[in-house]
Amino acid sequence: MTHELAVLGGRPVRDTAWPLWPRATETAGRALAEVLGSGRWTVSGPYQGTESVEQRFAKAYASYTGTAYCTPTTAGTTALTIALQALGIGPGDEVLVPGLTWVACASAVLFAGATPVLVDCDPRTLAISADAARAACTPRTAAIMVVHPFCNLADLDAFVALSAEKGLPLIEDSAQAHGARWRDRPVGSYGVVGCFSMQQSKLLTAGEGGAVVTNDAELHSKLEQLRLDGRRYGPAPIPGRLELVEVGAVQGRNFCLTEFQAALLLDGLVRLDAENEERARTVKVLVDALRGVPGLSLLAHDDPRVTRRTYYNAVLRFDLAEFGGSSIDAIASALSTELGAQTSPVYIPLNRHPLLRADLADSRLRTQATVDAISSARLPVAEEARRTCLTLPHPLLLAGADGVADIVAALGKLRGHAHELAGLPQTRSARAF
């Protein structure tokens, strides 16, 4: 018997490469070469008579996000970590965390010694639900962490109001939303702190990296020391000497970007808005094209308060019955093989995430109560999203109309060969294809 699906040996829909991400530009190469010959590869290297690239990026990104200060870090996880520390969150505290997000949101809270309280998501956007967050508040709640996931934003009107009503700091995790705007104001600027990731898959990337933005000068001083081993930039640098001074007010760790990473981020920031517009144009084409494929819809992205939407990925919602009753994992595996690029279900809800198992944690960082709080959380909307939703990574959205044609053709092929889909392994595997 000859199989049609590529995952079973048939010919794939696409046999050409997708746009490469991250993009290696000539300007990035020149910027890296300048750092290479500068005599300063990190902020803890000697001052060479010019402002560090890292500080140039920090000022540029603060301006871009409409905030007063930006503290670059090694990763989005460390950005969340020092944000929690700077806010004084620790043992005995609870932090509201979306139940459908990357595991670092919960693990950063655990590393602070606090308890993540998992909150279900809004079924239209898959962002944390403001109503569910309100219901989850207790006298021990010390902060609210909102995440802007996929191509959507959390309801910032509702969360700013809830934060003010309860007297709780709002932490914005905007790791997937570089450049997005709510009521024409940049995300990350609504919370007392905004945290970003610049890991390889992100819309603005240096391979690894992160940042915390804030308008609070005192918080900024703490954040600087928390990522610089208790140091911060001094007022009058002298060429040939270290630019950092030992403040001694906060005990920190080394979570600093290199000058090379900062150079890549400065280069990427110049292109960010144009690349976001490029993806948005592709999504418009995709929305129209999907109208011809029964059993499929794009995750709702029509809130007029989102005045600039960015697409870390596009989320497809499946009527599984139209695909032979196959699981979203089987569909993701087959679609990945047809396209030659990884497509994945949305995150595993954190109440059953394998990376939050009790045996993986430092026993000093969590009690049995924290383990029970995670595993016993009820997240029915998140569970349904994991059962029915699949993500297309943003590099596929840089391929324009030709890429859309291949995506739609692959989806139509899977639906037309639902009987073959049903014969695939239906459970989650370590590999997508």
Side-chain angles (χ1 to χ4, degrees):
M1 177 179 178
T2 301
H3 294 289
E4 294 292 334
L5 295 183
V7 72
L8 294 174
R11 184 176 179 179
V13 166
R14 187 178 178 98
D15 56 8
T16 57
W18 293 92
L20 193 63
W21 188 264
R23 285 174 164 170
T25 64
E26 290 184 8
T27 53
R30 289 195 294 271
L32 290 172
E34 288 176 11
V35 172
L36 188 65
S38 70
R40 186 179 192 179
W41 290 3
T42 181
V43 296
S44 55
Y47 177 65
Q48 298 296 329
T50 58
E51 186 175 39
S52 71
V53 184
E54 193 235 34
Q55 280 299 279
R56 285 165 49 202
F57 168 70
K59 291 176 181 178
Y61 202 62
S63 175
Y64 183 80
T65 56
T67 55
Y69 309 103
C70 170
T71 298
T73 65
T74 53
T77 302
T78 50
L80 289 170
T81 298
I82 65 171
L84 292 163
Q85 287 181 285
L87 292 169
I89 292 169
D93 292 332
E94 294 177 350
V95 178
L96 304 189
V97 173
L100 189 69
T101 187
W102 177 235
V103 68
C105 295
S107 59
V109 175
L110 289 167
F111 292 145
T115 298
V117 174
L118 305 183
V119 178
D120 210 357
C121 52
D122 182 307
R124 280 181 52 80
T125 65
L126 302 190
I128 181 173
S129 162
D131 290 340
R134 175 182 294 278
C137 287
T138 75
R140 295 181 298 280
T141 305
I144 303 168
M145 184 187 296
V146 300
V147 176
H148 304 304
F150 311 119
C151 59
N152 273 312
L153 304 184
D155 185 342
L156 284 167
D157 289 357
F159 277 105
V160 168
L162 180 61
S163 170
E165 176 190 336
K166 300 290 186 180
L168 297 170
L170 184 66
I171 301 169
E172 278 186 88
D173 181 338
S174 305
Q176 299 183 9
H178 307 77
R181 299 175 77 93
W182 177 272
R183 296 192 183 277
D184 208 29
R185 177 175 158 186
V187 299
S189 68
Y190 281 86
V192 65
V193 290
C195 298
F196 294 83
S197 167
M198 281 74 170
Q199 180 268 345
Q200 171 156 330
S201 67
K202 300 306 188 292
L203 304 178
L204 177 64
T205 180
E208 291 288 358
V212 187
V213 297
T214 185
N215 287 308
D216 188 311
E218 183 178 351
L219 268 180
H220 173 64
S221 180
K222 290 180 180 178
L223 290 163
E224 288 286 287
Q225 294 172 69
L226 284 166
R227 63 85 187 232
L228 270 169
D229 284 321
R231 300 171 293 177
R232 65 172 304 170
Y233 283 93
I238 299 171
R241 300 187 187 181
L242 298 188
E243 194 174 357
L244 307 178
V245 296
E246 297 174 2
V247 181
V250 177
Q251 188 177 69
R253 287 177 282 177
N254 181 3
F255 291 148
C256 296
L257 279 183
T258 68
E259 292 288 90
F260 295 100
Q261 290 168 296
L264 290 172
L265 292 175
L266 269 176
D267 180 72
L269 188 57
V270 173
R271 306 190 311 272
L272 178 59
D273 285 347
E275 289 171 344
N276 279 336
E277 290 171 6
E278 186 178 355
R279 297 181 189 98
R281 288 193 297 270
T282 300
V283 169
K284 288 181 180 179
V285 178
L286 180 62
V287 169
D288 289 339
L290 286 177
R291 293 194 177 101
V293 184
L296 275 173
S297 60
L298 203 66
L299 186 68
H301 58 290
D302 55 359
D303 189 330
R305 296 173 297 178
V306 183
T307 47
R308 182 186 293 166
R309 188 176 301 278
T310 59
Y311 291 90
Y312 174 66
N313 45 36
V315 180
L316 301 177
R317 200 187 297 268
F318 285 74
D319 177 350
L320 298 177
E322 292 282 347
F323 290 80
S326 293
S327 72
I328 200 70
D329 298 276
I331 293 171
S333 177
L335 183 61
S336 296
T337 310
E338 295 295 342
L339 296 176
Q342 181 163 339
T343 66
S344 305
V346 297
Y347 297 115
I348 299 172
L350 293 183
N351 59 342
R352 57 185 183 90
H353 202 292
L355 297 182
L356 290 176
R357 296 198 324 262
D359 60 305
L360 294 181
D362 184 332
S363 61
R364 296 169 296 177
L365 298 178
R366 69 174 73 183
T367 64
Q368 187 61 45
T370 62
V371 174
D372 292 343
I374 292 170
S375 61
S376 65
R378 293 192 67 256
L379 304 170
V381 179
E383 293 279 2
E384 178 64 9
R386 177 58 180 78
R387 193 183 71 83
T388 60
C389 293
L390 178 151
T391 63
L392 301 174
H394 72 86
L396 275 61
L397 305 178
L398 297 173
D402 288 344
V404 169
D406 285 339
I407 291 167
V408 173
L411 290 165
K413 182 179 178 182
L414 264 56
R415 183 175 177 275
H417 294 83
H419 62 287
E420 289 194 16
L421 269 180
L424 294 176
Q426 299 294 311
T427 57
R428 184 174 186 262
S429 62
R431 289 176 58 85
F433 64 97

